[in-house]
Amino acid sequence: LRGLTVIGVMHAHDGPAAVLRAGRGRIARVQTGTTVFGVTVAGIRDDQVMMTDRFGRTQAVIIAGS
């Protein structure tokens, strides 16, 4: 999960979503269950995104600047 930044979290019409930035500046909008940048989004809260890596380890990533 190194190199991933949570830019923001929003409550969209289709459920909670987050915007992530990867190390090389790539950006993705994600929801729970989305797999992107080698991780799967396990959950989204107001101040953090829970992500599971390919080894099954789940970690919380806090919104940048929080």
Side-chain angles (χ1 to χ4, degrees):
L1 303 180
R2 184 180 267 174
L4 283 179
T5 303
V6 178
I7 297 173
V9 172
M10 65 200 96
H11 296 281
H13 69 280
D14 52 352
V19 178
L20 305 178
R21 182 176 53 224
R24 292 186 179 169
R26 296 174 295 165
I27 294 178
R29 179 188 180 275
V30 298
Q31 292 183 281
T32 300
T34 302
T35 299
V36 65
F37 308 135
V39 298
T40 300
V41 177
I44 299 173
R45 295 187 179 170
D46 289 337
D47 62 343
Q48 66 185 4
V49 177
M50 301 295 292
M51 293 184 253
T52 304
D53 66 16
R54 61 188 175 117
F55 301 108
R57 296 179 297 216
T58 300
Q59 290 181 285
V61 179
I62 307 298
I63 294 176
S66 292

